[in-house]
Amino acid sequence: MPEFFHPTPMRSHGLKQLKEALPKLGLEYARNRNLDRGKGRHNSVTRLSPWLRHRLLLEEEVISSVLSTHTFSASEKFIEEVFWRTYWKGWLESRPSVWENYIEERDRNWREWQGDKTLAKALAGETGIECFDYWIKELKETHYLHNHSRMWFASIWIFTLGLPWTLGADVFMRFLLDGDPASNTLSWRWVAGLQTHGKCYIARPDNIAKWTVNRFSSVSDLVVDVRPPESFPSPEPVPLEPPASCLDSKIRTLLILHDEDLCIETLPIRKDDVVGIVMLNAASQRTAGSLSDRVFRFVQEGLFDAKDRFLSESSVPYFMGIGSEEIFDLFMKSGAERIVTPYAPVGPTRDLLHKIEGDLEIDIIPIIRIWDKMCWPHASKGFFAFKKKIPSLVATLCG
């Protein structure tokens, strides 16, 4: 039996996984990355995504490590995959209404589709489509799916089963350890034909058979004659106004940690200024349903790892929670003069921070990373325009 992959939400474990993956991140990765050999056999990809998604590993350090082992041309495909995550975040950052519309449509769809038999069979892995049923069970069991299978799964969900894309996106956010608001939402929109006008992604039996090493060679009855939906173009990007990337020092600071950025020790926040820490587990805000307990615990443990690395043996008071009253109490008792947090991009964590800020009537100061500040402005159009900027961004940020 294959040994399943169980990532631990600690930076040290992410660095170990990076070291193990480095030798194959050149041409071998480019050749084999689309292969899905099945549960417990995902050796053609890095499986770094849970650490990258929560910034237990930083994009620039991963790319710098790769370039210390491979040339840029040999590792270009892997580097592009790292930048895809950044691109999606930047694209959504300048179009926050897309996220707001998704949340509204998702919640409405769950109400409208309650009791639907096709939806129930899809969630239970009882559709009779062998590969789809395998993937939903793998997702629930391992909290991971190969990226190629995510695309096939989404296409079958939308075009063959006829289910709303928003509900499939929400199921992924419920179970994936690397579930990312931007990457997940916009990838499902892309498969559905809503992201790139006139294009959608079709799961074809021959393609599935080829890249799953003929594990699903008998798949049939998939809907492949699909026309992209008539849709309004995506909204025009709004100008980005990134916050500060540095802070005045020697000001008593209450720090809010969240799982959008758990490498807090690399941000310009002085330990000596921090008089209290709030660990904000916003994972349950990702989904309209019941979040997987394993996803919640992964975030919880990652927050403790970040706090322990940042403060080490310090006796600074901290608490875990999302209540505005408790945060205000800690702010007052600690004698803090300001509240600071790593920048949270568009998504549920930012939504929660905005609510807390309104409840407290105290500004929460976000600190943005140079990586985001430099990359996101180039994500205003399609990925291929963004891709042209990658070599110069790598030279500047990963040198």
Side-chain angles (χ1 to χ4, degrees):
M1 292 291 292
E3 181 180 350
F4 295 158
F5 182 59
H6 295 293
T8 303
M10 297 177 66
R11 175 167 163 77
S12 59
H13 289 212
L15 289 169
K16 180 181 178 183
Q17 181 68 18
L18 173 60
K19 184 177 180 181
E20 292 176 358
L22 275 178
K24 63 182 179 185
L25 294 184
L27 295 176
E28 180 182 349
Y29 176 85
R31 284 193 302 267
N32 298 325
R33 68 187 182 89
N34 283 327
L35 282 171
D36 180 355
R37 296 186 173 91
K39 186 167 55 180
R41 297 186 176 91
H42 295 299
N43 299 319
S44 299
V45 290
T46 69
R47 297 177 292 185
L48 292 172
S49 57
W51 292 282
L52 275 168
R53 183 267 176 267
H54 299 286
R55 272 189 167 151
L56 284 158
L57 292 177
L58 299 176
E59 296 89 342
E60 58 264 41
E61 72 177 328
V62 170
I63 292 174
S64 294
S65 296
V66 170
L67 291 175
S68 71
T69 307
H70 306 277
T71 64
F72 181 87
S73 60
S75 58
E76 186 172 11
K77 182 53 66 175
F78 172 76
I79 292 171
E80 285 178 14
E81 293 302 310
V82 174
F83 271 98
W84 261 108
R85 184 178 298 272
T86 298
Y87 167 76
W88 284 135
K89 285 183 181 293
W91 192 95
L92 191 60
E93 193 69 16
S94 63
R95 297 170 178 85
S97 63
V98 172
W99 170 255
E100 294 160 4
N101 292 340
Y102 158 67
I103 295 298
E104 182 180 343
E105 187 176 348
R106 177 200 69 184
D107 294 348
R108 184 178 68 251
N109 287 156
W110 277 122
R111 293 192 298 269
E112 293 172 346
W113 285 74
Q114 276 190 359
D116 182 83
K117 292 181 180 179
T118 301
L119 177 60
K121 288 181 179 180
L123 295 174
E126 297 173 353
T127 66
I129 302 171
E130 183 186 8
C131 57
F132 182 93
D133 293 345
Y134 178 94
W135 291 323
I136 188 70
K137 292 171 183 175
E138 180 182 8
L139 172 65
K140 291 179 178 180
E141 182 178 354
T142 69
H143 296 77
Y144 176 82
L145 274 185
H146 188 286
N147 188 61
H148 212 163
S149 294
R150 297 184 197 198
M151 294 160 58
W152 293 319
F153 181 103
S155 183
I156 294 169
W157 177 282
I158 296 166
F159 300 119
T160 297
L161 299 177
L163 298 171
W165 73 269
T166 58
L167 303 190
D170 193 50
V171 170
F172 272 15
M173 291 301 290
R174 193 178 300 181
F175 290 103
L176 286 172
L177 291 179
D178 62 5
D180 176 84
S183 296
N184 188 65
T185 304
L186 301 182
S187 294
W188 273 85
R189 278 173 50 87
W190 176 74
V191 170
L194 301 172
Q195 187 66 19
T196 303
H197 190 66
K199 294 183 180 180
C200 54
Y201 180 79
I202 308 302
R204 301 183 184 278
D206 58 341
N207 188 259
I208 294 172
K210 174 183 177 180
W211 293 107
T212 60
V213 201
N214 287 316
R215 289 186 298 116
F216 302 114
S217 57
S218 60
V219 173
S220 59
D221 299 326
L222 299 185
V223 174
V224 297
D225 185 13
V226 174
R227 290 185 178 182
E230 293 293 331
S231 62
F232 295 105
S234 297
E236 288 297 312
V238 298
L240 295 178
E241 297 180 2
S245 52
C246 61
L247 280 174
D248 293 333
S249 60
K250 297 182 180 180
I251 299 176
R252 295 172 67 84
T253 299
L254 178 66
L255 175 63
I256 297 182
L257 292 182
H258 54 72
D259 75 312
E260 293 294 331
D261 194 328
L262 292 175
C263 206
I264 189 71
E265 69 274 21
T266 64
L267 282 171
I269 300 173
R270 279 177 20 106
K271 295 180 184 180
D272 292 344
D273 293 340
V274 175
V275 295
I277 289 184
V278 175
M279 292 184 286
L280 194 73
N281 189 341
S284 61
Q285 311 295 309
R286 298 180 190 178
T287 171
S290 298
L291 182 75
S292 161
D293 181 63
R294 187 173 168 203
V295 174
F296 185 85
R297 285 187 286 108
F298 188 90
V299 171
Q300 193 100 323
E301 292 166 14
L303 286 163
F304 273 105
D305 181 61
K307 186 267 297 181
D308 291 345
R309 280 184 284 106
F310 182 65
L311 289 181
S312 187
E313 302 299 322
S314 172
S315 59
V316 168
Y318 66 89
F319 87 96
M320 173 77 70
I322 61 174
S324 301
E325 290 185 10
E326 293 88 346
I327 295 172
F328 183 76
D329 285 346
L330 184 56
F331 178 79
M332 296 301 293
K333 289 176 182 177
S334 65
E337 301 169 79
R338 66 183 176 190
I339 303 177
V340 170
T341 192
Y343 189 85
V346 169
T349 298
R350 181 192 284 184
D351 293 345
L352 181 57
L353 284 168
H354 281 175
K355 179 182 181 303
I356 291 170
E357 189 174 42
D359 291 343
L360 297 178
E361 297 183 348
I362 301 172
D363 289 340
I364 298 177
I365 303 169
I367 303 300
I368 195 168
R369 289 191 180 273
I370 298 299
W371 176 276
D372 299 332
K373 200 169 185 176
M374 291 192 64
C375 294
W376 286 353
H378 300 296
S380 60
K381 298 180 180 178
F383 179 77
F384 292 102
F386 178 81
K387 179 180 172 180
K388 294 177 182 178
K389 303 293 183 180
I390 290 178
S392 62
L393 289 169
V394 168
T396 301
L397 296 166
C398 306

